[in-house]
Amino acid sequence: MRQLIDHARAFPSRCGGAGRDLRSFEGGQKPSAMFITCSDSRVVPTLLTDSDPGELFEMRTAGNIVPPYDPDVPTSEMATIEYAVRVLEVSDIILCGHSHCGAVGALARGDDLRTLPAVRGWLSRCAPPDGPRGYGDFGPDCEQPVQSHAVAQLNTLRDYPCVNQAVREGRLGLHAWYYEVHTGAVQIHDPFTGTFSSL
């Protein structure tokens, strides 16, 4: 904790030294993209995209899950997505899954999550009923299940009224990425071929 405190204390001078003027943020934010990814500490969107403060609107959830849209049962995730599209008017949403994902691995293996009732409830309520399964044996990186899961979450995102409208009007692009935490490589999904390939 001491290291975190020391870095937080030095943050204003570090930012000033890098030529950034934080006072410009007083007038609000105008990020160009929304980045939805897992809560995993190995995935750092701003580091991955070399983005400065104010450039990415981030949303992190266990397993980079987008819950189904239900206005009668609003969630923080639903509100965050709606705000990004309707108020901030981001031009792109990137949904990024990652290798070695514990949540997706648990779904794909059908792990017993009785000792993690909140995690079990989140995954069972928000993940597609069939889940990222049907791959037989897969390695510890969970590449195929994670990629399938990322595309499924992007499809759930398309069902959000604000997202659907913005996509139809050509104001919003949707992208599924796969990030390898052990190599740093990023792949993007091609909706026409249904495959992932290097950026």
Side-chain angles (χ1 to χ4, degrees):
M1 191 64 191
R2 171 52 53 190
Q3 183 181 26
L4 298 179
I5 291 172
D6 290 343
H7 285 306
R9 283 181 177 151
F11 181 67
S13 59
R14 282 190 290 120
C15 277
R20 297 187 185 105
D21 183 4
L22 297 182
R23 288 173 299 181
S24 65
F25 295 153
E26 289 177 332
Q29 60 175 320
K30 190 60 180 168
S32 61
M34 180 179 197
F35 200 101
I36 300 173
T37 194
C38 186
S39 304
D40 194 297
S41 62
R42 299 167 292 180
V43 183
V44 185
T46 53
L47 185 64
L48 179 61
T49 60
D50 195 24
S51 299
D52 286 329
E55 292 182 349
L56 283 183
F57 193 66
E58 295 182 33
M59 185 178 90
R60 301 178 74 122
T61 69
N64 50 266
I65 287 176
V66 174
Y69 186 81
D70 183 353
D72 294 328
V73 187
T75 66
S76 171
E77 295 79 18
M78 287 168 52
T80 301
I81 292 165
E82 188 173 74
Y83 187 81
V85 175
R86 288 241 161 98
V87 177
L88 298 178
E89 298 180 336
V90 295
S91 59
D92 293 278
I93 298 179
I94 299 160
L95 195 141
C96 184
H98 68 92
S99 68
H100 303 83
C101 182
V104 175
L107 282 170
R109 290 185 299 268
D111 289 355
D112 181 355
L113 298 174
R114 282 178 290 184
T115 60
L116 300 168
V119 172
R120 181 182 63 190
W122 170 251
L123 296 180
S124 65
R125 182 170 69 87
C126 298
D130 52 352
R133 300 183 186 189
Y135 295 100
D137 292 331
F138 50 86
D141 61 0
C142 299
E143 179 178 349
Q144 287 182 308
V146 167
Q147 290 179 353
S148 172
H149 179 72
V151 173
Q153 299 312 303
L154 201 67
N155 289 334
T156 299
L157 187 61
R158 289 181 204 279
D159 290 335
Y160 279 53
C162 60
V163 172
N164 185 279
Q165 180 182 1
V167 169
R168 280 189 289 106
E169 294 175 354
R171 297 184 287 108
L172 181 66
L174 302 180
H175 317 275
W177 286 10
Y178 171 70
Y179 171 59
E180 290 186 338
V181 299
H182 55 298
T183 67
V186 178
Q187 297 179 30
I188 188 169
H189 180 253
D190 183 336
F192 298 106
T193 65
T195 60
F196 281 79
S197 57
S198 298
L199 281 176

